[in-house]
Amino acid sequence: MSWKRYFCYEGKRANGINGCMLQTLGFPNCWDCRKLDGAVAEIEKKIIEAFEVFDHECNKTVDVREIGSIVRSLGCFPTEAELHELLAKVEEEEEPTGYIHLEKFLPVMTKVLLDRSYRPIPEDVLLHAFEALDENKCGYLTEDELVKYMTEEGEPFTEEEMEEMLSSALDPETNTVLYRDYISMMIVDEPEDLPQ
Amino acid sequence: MGSGSSVNANYKYSLQKSENAFKAAVLIQRWYRRYVARLEMRRRCTWRIFQSIEYACEQDQIKLHNFFSYLMDHFTPSSSKERDFISRMFISGESFKEAELEKYCDYESMEVPDSYTGPHLSFPLLPDHATALLEAFKQKQQLHARYVLNLLHETRKHLKQLPNISHVSTCYSEEVTVCGDLHGQLDDLFLIFYKNGLPSPSKSYVFNGDFVDRGKQSLEILIILFTFLLIYPKEVHLNRGNHEDHMVNLRYGFAKEVMQKYKVHGKKILKMIQNVFCWLPLATLIDQKVLIIHGGVSDTTDLDMLEKIQRNKFISVLRGKKRKESNRNVEIQEVNGESNAEADPTGNEATPSLPSQPRPAQAPSMANRLEFSRWVRQTVQEQIEWCRRLVDISESEDEELTYSSMVSLADLDGPCWTRQEEWKQILDILWSDPMPQEGCRENTVRGGGCYFGPDVTGKILEKYNLQFLIRSHECKQEGYEFCHNRKVLTIFSASNYYEIGSNRGAYVKLGPDLVPHFVQYQANKTAHTLTMTQRISRVEESAFRALREKLFAHTSALISAFKAYDKDNTGRITLSNWATAVESVLHLGLPWRMLRPQLVRTTADGMLEYKSWLDDLAMEQRSQEHIQSSLLEVIYRNRSNLETIFRIIDRDHSGLISFEEFHQTWKLFSSHMNIELTDDGINDLVRSIDFNKDGNIDFNEFLEAFRLVKQTQ
C-alpha cells in the first residue's frame, strides 16, 4: 500500500495514516497542528496580556520604547541588536510613528515564542561570563572594572542602567562585586510554562 | 622568525581576549536588561492590582446602597420592633438647624484642665498658633476638644461667606502651590511645608480635597488646614473632595479615627465636621484660566450652575437611585418576559398625608406582598417625614428616599434646576476620572461620577476659555501625571499611598505664566535606602497579599468556575483555564497569566490541583474551622460593608449595639446575601462570641472574633 502524502491546511505534512484520517474525518489540520493550536492560543493570550500592561491609552498600541520590556518579560533574552531586528518587523513600514500595533506585534512575537528564540541564559554560562572579565581570577570585580566593561564593551549600559546595577551588585563593605553571590541573589527560578 | 610568530601569537591572544570580553559583556548586559524588564513588568502589575482592588472597594459603596434598596423593596417586618429598626437605619442622622447645631456642639462650657499640656487656641488665630500646632502634632500631642470645636465653628463661619468657586490671582502672590490628596498622611503635609514653606501672604496654597480617610492623622491635617485657612484667608484655598463626606468617612476610617481620639466629644466633633465639609468650596479658578476640581468634569458640567447652587445642601453626595429608575427596570424585565414577583409597585404614589406624629397603621395582611411592601415603605416614609418636620425642612414629592438622609432639603427660592441636576453637577465634579477614549460614560468602577474623554475636556476648556484642568482623586506613581494632551493634570500628594515605596507624592507650583513646576517627594526614609528591587518586592508582597485575600473571599464561586472546566472531575484544570475562570469570578481586569507564578506555587505538568490551591489560600487567612466556610467567605467579602452597616446602626457612635439590633442586622444581611441561616443559627453564632451580660455587643470584638480587624489596629 502506498501512503499518499497529505498536507494539512497549516501547510505541514500530515504523515501516513493521520493524513488519510484527515480527509475522511474532514479536519483541516493534522493532529499535530491541532495540538499546537491550543498552545498557540495560549501563547497569544499571554502576549496580549503583556502587551496590554503597557498599553496606556487602551487602543492596542504601545510606545516603541516599551517593546524591549514586553519581549523580555515574556521570558526572552534578546540582545539589543536582536531587539532591533525584531522591531524592524513590527514597525510601520512607511513611517515609524513611535507606536507599535498589537496586530503587527502578535504574529511576530508568537513565532518568537514558538521558535524559542532568544533563549534564557543558564546560571553557569553567566558565571563564566563574569569569570572571563575577572582577569586576576580573584572571585570579584572592582567597581571600576565593572563600570568599564558595562559601559565600554558589548552593548553599553546607559548611566541609569549602570547606577541601578551598582546599587544592588556592589557589596557596600568591600566596594567590589562578588559576582557569585550576586548571581545567586538575582537568578529567579521561573517555571517553564510554555507548552511543550 | 620566532619573535614574529610570538608577536602574532600575542596579537591573536589579545584579540581573542577582547573578543571574549566583548562576548561576556554582551551576555551580562543581555541578562541584566532582561532582569530589569521583568522588574518593570512586576511593578506595573502590582500597581494594577492595587488600583483595581481600591476601585472595586469603592464600588462596594454602591453595593451597600443596593442592600438598602433591597431592604426597601423586599423586607417585610414581622414585628413593630423590626419596623422601628429599619426606619432607624434610614433616619441615620438628623439635619440640624443653625441654632440647634450651636447648642449641640457647644464648646464654651468645656473646661480645659490645667493638666492639659497641648497648644491653646484663641480667636482670631495668629501665625504663632499655627506654629504651635505644627510643633504639637510633631510631638504627637492632641488638641483639646474645646479648641477643636471652637476651630470648627470659626471655620464654618468663614466658609459660609465663600462662593462655590474660589478665585485666585497670581498677581498678588507670585506663585500658587496646588496640592492633591493627602488622605490623613500628616508626614506628607509636613514634608510639603518643609520643602515649600508655610502658607503666608507671599505663599498661596490650594488644597484639592481628600484631606481625610485611610491615613491615621486625618484630624490633625484638618486642624492644620483650617487653622491656616483662618489665619490667611486670602492665600489658603480648600476644595471639597469626595472623601469630605460623612457617609464615606464612616467606611474609610475618618469617623473611626475621631471616635478613637476623642472618646467623650468625638460625636460632637464629627457632627461639626459634617457641617463644615458641606460648606467647602467646590472648585478654584486661577487667573480665570486654570480650573481646579477634585475629580473631574462631565459633558454636562455647567460652571454657572455650580456657582449658583446652594452647596451646603449636599451634606453627603452618596445617594440612591430614583424610584422612577427602578420602575423602568421592572418594566424592562417584564418586557423581557421575566417575572418579578416582588416588583416595585407604582412610583407615583401620592404623598401620604402627614399626621403630627405618625402611628403605624394596621398592617395589611402579609399574604399580599405588594400591599405589604407598600405599607412598609409608606410607614417608613412617614417616620422620616415626621422627623424632618421636626427640624422644619420639607421634602419635595419627587424626592427619592435615600439611605443617606443627611441631605437637607431647604426650600428652593430661585433658579429652576431640579435637585437631581444640581446633585449630578457636584457628583461629577467630585468623583469623575479621565479616560483616554473620547466620550463620556458612567463611572461604574467608582459608583459615582463619570469617565470623561479628551473631547469633553476640550469642550469645557473652550466653553469657559480655560487653559487646562488640575484635578486629583487618582494615585499616580510619580505623584503627578498629564493626560488629554497635557490639558488635564492629576496631582496626588500622598506618597507611599498603597505601601511604603509604592509611589511618590507631588505638588505643583504655578506662576503668572501658568507653567507648571513640579516637586516630588517620598515621605518615608526607608523608601530611599531600599534598592529598586527591594522596593518593588515589598510593594508587590503587599499587593499579592491583598489579592490572595480577595481570592479566598470568593472560594465558592471559584470552585464552581473551576469545576466547569473539569467535567471529568479530575480535580485539575489547565493553567490557561485557571486564568479565565479567575477573571470571570473576580472581574478585576488583571493580567492573570502574568501574575500566575506568584499566585500558584506548584503545578504538576502544567495542570493545577485547584482544591488544594484553595485550601492553601484558606490556611493563609487563618480561618476558624468551626465557622461554616461559606459564611466566613461572605463575611470577608463584605467586611467593609458590615462595618459600615454597624456604624450606621450605632448612631451614638458608642461602639455598642444591642443584641436585638445585632440579630436584626444579621438576619437582614444574610437574607440579602442569600445565606441560609436560621434563628438558631444566628444564636449559635452569637454564642460563640463572649458577650457581656448586659446584652450589648462591642462590634469591634465581633469583628475581631472573625479575625476581620485589620492588622494595623
Side-chain angles (χ1 to χ4, degrees), chain B residues 148-156 226 269 272-273 276:
Chain B
V148 177
L149 286 168
N150 201 351
L151 175 66
L152 292 172
H153 270 278
E154 296 296 319
T155 306
R156 185 163 173 273
F226 290 160
I269 293 177
M272 255 331 280
I273 288 178
V276 169

Side-chain angles (χ1 to χ4, degrees), chain A residues 42 49 56 77 155 193, chain B residues 29-30 44 576 593 596:
Chain A
E42 185 53 19
E49 255 191 16
H56 304 295
F77 286 69
E155 294 174 325
D193 46 12
Chain B
Q29 287 151 348
R30 202 173 115 207
R44 284 173 193 263
S576 171
R593 288 171 184 81
R596 198 218 9 101

Side-chain angles (χ1 to χ4, degrees), chain A residues 15-83:
Chain A
N15 294 317
I17 202 154
N18 290 347
C20 298
M21 295 292 275
L22 263 189
Q23 305 284 315
T24 42
L25 296 174
F27 290 122
N29 296 343
C30 66
W31 300 119
D32 290 324
C33 285
R34 277 194 296 123
K35 220 171 86 180
L36 202 55
D37 263 351
V40 167
E42 185 53 19
I43 287 178
E44 285 187 342
K45 282 195 199 135
K46 231 188 154 190
I47 295 173
I48 295 174
E49 255 191 16
F51 191 90
E52 284 181 345
V53 173
F54 290 88
D55 177 8
H56 304 295
E57 316 227 331
C58 305
N59 58 359
K60 307 255 188 279
T61 64
V62 300
D63 190 317
V64 65
R65 291 165 289 186
E66 317 258 42
I67 289 291
S69 303
I70 299 176
V71 173
R72 289 176 166 126
S73 62
L74 285 165
C76 301
F77 286 69
T79 62
E80 294 289 294
E82 287 167 329
L83 207 53

Side-chain angles (χ1 to χ4, degrees), chain B residues 92-268:
Chain B
S92 285
E94 304 88 57
S95 200
F96 283 86
K97 276 175 81 175
E98 189 80 31
E100 280 161 356
L101 191 66
E102 301 262 331
K103 195 168 136 207
Y104 175 69
C105 299
D106 164 59
Y107 55 88
E108 307 223 336
S109 54
M110 281 190 204
E111 286 234 358
V112 180
D114 291 331
S115 54
Y116 172 70
T117 53
H120 296 264
L121 297 183
S122 61
F123 293 80
L125 289 173
L126 298 169
D128 280 350
H129 292 121
T131 35
L133 275 173
L134 288 170
E135 200 44 52
F137 289 153
K138 284 206 180 102
Q139 312 293 334
K140 309 267 190 268
Q141 288 178 325
Q142 197 166 290
L143 184 65
H144 193 273
R146 181 204 166 107
Y147 298 130
V148 177
L149 286 168
N150 201 351
L151 175 66
L152 292 172
H153 270 278
E154 296 296 319
T155 306
R156 185 163 173 273
K157 270 202 293 199
H158 170 77
L159 288 176
K160 280 171 87 168
Q161 306 161 358
L162 298 180
N164 293 349
I165 302 183
S166 308
H167 288 264
V168 179
S169 172
T170 52
C171 65
Y172 292 124
S173 67
E174 296 100 44
E175 260 182 343
V176 179
T177 306
V178 182
C179 301
D181 293 23
L182 286 167
H183 280 303
Q185 297 187 185
L186 188 58
D187 285 340
D188 284 311
L189 187 59
F190 282 154
L191 198 52
I192 295 173
F193 285 159
Y194 177 73
K195 286 172 101 76
N196 198 44
L198 297 178
S200 71
S202 58
K203 193 149 287 220
S204 288
Y205 272 91
V206 178
F207 290 94
N208 198 13
D210 275 12
F211 320 122
V212 301
D213 279 331
R214 298 194 205 268
K216 298 270 170 289
Q217 288 160 301
S218 304
L219 192 53
E220 282 80 4
I221 289 195
L222 274 191
I223 292 173
I224 293 176
L225 292 182
F226 290 160
T227 303
F228 278 117
L229 176 71
L230 294 177
I231 300 175
Y232 301 112
K234 289 208 193 64
E235 287 81 23
V236 176
H237 306 268
L238 306 179
N239 280 349
R240 189 175 182 184
N242 64 310
H243 277 260
E244 275 70 56
D245 182 325
H246 177 69
M247 291 307 282
V248 179
N249 297 149
L250 281 177
R251 169 190 281 274
Y252 287 106
F254 181 47
K256 195 193 285 192
E257 180 192 321
V258 173
M259 292 312 300
Q260 275 174 353
K261 289 181 175 166
Y262 292 91
K263 298 197 167 38
V264 178
H265 299 288
K267 224 170 99 196
K268 284 189 196 173

